[in-house]
Amino acid sequence: MADSLKNVSVVGASGNLGKEVVRELLDAGFKVTAFAREELTATFPSEVAVKKVDYQSVESLTAALQGQDAVVSTIATAAVGGQIPLVDAAVAAKVKRFIPSEFGINTRIVEGTSIGKILQGKVKTLDYIIGKSQENPWFSWTGVSSGVFFDWGLKYGTVGFDKNSRTAVIYDSGEEPVQASNLAFIGKAVAAILSQPEKTANRYLSIASFNPSQNQILKIAEEETGEKWTVEQASTEEQEKIGEEKLGRGDYSAFSYLLRWRIYADGAGLAVLGDKSGISLLGLQEEDLAATVKAWLRG
Ligand SMILES: NC(=O)c1ccc[n+]([C@@H]2O[C@H](COP(=O)([O-])OP(=O)(O)OC[C@H]3O[C@@H](n4cnc5c(N)ncnc54)[C@H](OP(=O)(O)O)[C@@H]3O)[C@@H](O)[C@H]2O)c1
């Protein structure tokens, strides 16, 4: 099996994460095909084959997956609940490995929680994939929890730091370590998974470039800029309250509030360290937090 996962289809290859996954797979020597919807306008590196597909049609997807060894789905959040035809097509086309669009908090431990309700698209897709792998022993899966998209989140403000106004929003004590990964690191992890198919078959792996606390990030930002940043103190209890209210109204913008509560609350305990981390299994090393923060500040 080790040499056989060469041809890899990346679904959502034009996206934030998909682009990085494609780059890292090419670097690692995989033969990459990008799947895209009909209305595709994105461009890809010349070595990448591009297939336009209809994600609702098992027939269209099965045809596109002929000869493929693995599917990596980095499809948008809005479309994660629609991956079932893709799974059925992967099984029909005898694809050996499926990596679904997880790439966030560990969705295997959210049952019974409010945020778990919003993550049902991911949870049900992976449950379905696991069922298919049990029926078809040659069909396997790997789930990847990456925590927060860190370099992307610094750039787009989702981790609470604004370099222009030198402002940071710090939740609770700011001391809780938080699972976080840079996009290229996630791409490297995907390549490492597909390079070591036996070790990584039918496993859910939590990975992290690092597990910084908000205060650690702030300290690096202040040292690097030589300025004291304005800190806006916030409480995760308040985030939870807003999230629950929104969810109660069926408003899924609750997600980011419930997420902040889940990951930043003192004692949340979701950092992936030591045995909890899949990076040593994959042969990867933690990344340099300060270097990532400095690159963002200089960018
Ligand atoms: N951990 C985090 O902080 C974090 C942050 C953001 C996202 N995520 C997760 O990471 C995964 C990938 O997210 P992403 O931000 O990289 O995705 P994205 O850029 O929003 O979208 C990826 C691609 O999905 C394709 N797509 C197919 N059907 C679609 C539809 N109905 N609506 C929109 N796009 C559609 C598009 O490609 P084509 O147009 O080429 O078809 C798009 O470029 C998701 O599971 C998401 O939940 C995690």
Side-chain angles (χ1 to χ4, degrees), residues 11-19 35-42 44 55 73-80 83 100-105 119 122 146-150 152-153 158 183 186 259:
V11 175
S14 62
N16 300 312
L17 178 60
K19 282 199 279 277
F35 278 19
R37 293 168 296 174
E38 277 303 325
E39 57 270 36
L40 172 79
T41 50
F44 296 97
Y55 287 120
S73 174
T74 61
I75 208 160
T77 309
V80 291
Q83 294 175 97
S101 193
E102 285 277 320
F103 307 114
I105 60 170
L119 289 167
K122 290 187 177 184
S146 57
V148 173
F149 283 2
F150 190 70
W152 181 86
T158 58
L183 293 185
I186 305 173
L259 179 68

Side-chain angles (χ1 to χ4, degrees), residues 170-177 214-215 233-234 236-237 260-269:
I170 302 287
Y171 296 93
D172 296 2
S173 72
E175 285 299 311
E176 184 64 21
Q214 298 165 87
N215 290 339
Q233 202 63 49
T236 58
E237 206 179 307
R260 288 191 282 268
W261 166 60
R262 188 167 175 85
I263 66 176
Y264 295 134
D266 290 333

Side-chain angles (χ1 to χ4, degrees), residues 12-289:
S14 62
N16 300 312
L17 178 60
K19 282 199 279 277
E20 301 289 336
V21 167
V22 167
R23 182 175 307 136
E24 295 299 332
L25 288 174
L26 290 174
D27 274 4
F30 289 94
K31 205 162 169 292
V32 178
T33 299
F35 278 19
R37 293 168 296 174
E38 277 303 325
E39 57 270 36
L40 172 79
T41 50
T43 53
F44 296 97
S46 56
E47 315 92 286
V48 175
V50 180
K51 288 198 176 158
K52 293 194 176 182
V53 292
D54 172 359
Y55 287 120
Q56 282 162 21
S57 161
V58 176
E59 207 184 347
S60 141
L61 293 163
T62 305
L65 284 171
Q66 292 306 313
Q68 295 296 297
D69 301 310
V71 171
V72 181
S73 174
T74 61
I75 208 160
T77 309
V80 291
Q83 294 175 97
I84 299 297
L86 190 61
V87 178
D88 286 339
V91 173
K94 294 276 190 289
V95 167
K96 298 182 196 77
R97 177 66 53 90
F98 199 110
I99 300 181
S101 193
E102 285 277 320
F103 307 114
I105 60 170
N106 182 340
T107 64
R108 297 284 97 189
I109 55 169
V110 294
E111 204 183 316
T113 65
S114 299
I115 204 162
K117 287 184 195 146
I118 307 178
L119 289 167
Q120 278 307 296
K122 290 187 177 184
V123 172
K124 287 192 173 141
T125 301
L126 186 49
D127 287 348
Y128 187 76
I129 291 169
I130 293 171
K132 288 289 170 193
S133 73
Q134 286 162 350
E135 288 163 20
N136 306 284
W138 47 265
F139 179 68
S140 59
W141 57 274
T142 310
V144 180
S145 161
S146 57
V148 173
F149 283 2
F150 190 70
D151 49 355
W152 181 86
L154 285 174
K155 191 169 169 191
Y156 294 104
T158 58
V159 292
F161 290 80
D162 180 348
K163 67 176 177 181
N164 297 321
S165 63
R166 306 283 200 242
T167 305
V169 184
I170 302 287
Y171 296 93
D172 296 2
S173 72
E175 285 299 311
E176 184 64 21
V178 175
Q179 179 194 7
S181 297
N182 290 331
L183 293 185
F185 182 81
I186 305 173
K188 285 186 174 57
V190 167
I193 287 166
L194 298 178
S195 302
Q196 305 168 84
E198 278 101 359
K199 260 198 218 174
T200 58
N202 304 326
R203 294 188 70 154
Y204 195 89
L205 299 174
S206 289
I207 61 162
S209 290
F210 23 61
N211 292 271
S213 70
Q214 298 165 87
N215 290 339
Q216 274 176 302
I217 303 166
L218 179 63
K219 186 162 179 277
I220 295 166
E222 289 186 335
E223 278 170 6
E224 179 67 8
T225 55
E227 285 174 44
K228 208 77 192 134
W229 284 37
T230 305
V231 171
E232 205 180 290
Q233 202 63 49
S235 93
T236 58
E237 206 179 307
E238 181 66 11
Q239 297 294 306
E240 183 197 11
K241 194 164 151 257
I242 300 170
E244 293 288 0
E245 273 165 16
K246 281 179 177 276
L247 190 60
R249 295 196 301 272
D251 174 355
Y252 276 27
S253 70
F255 183 77
S256 39
Y257 296 88
L258 293 171
L259 179 68
R260 288 191 282 268
W261 166 60
R262 188 167 175 85
I263 66 176
Y264 295 134
D266 290 333
L270 294 174
V272 295
L273 299 160
D275 287 356
K276 285 191 188 166
S277 172
I279 68 170
S280 49
L281 177 95
L282 296 176
L284 297 175
Q285 306 275 323
E286 270 208 4
E287 297 200 294
D288 184 339
L289 174 67

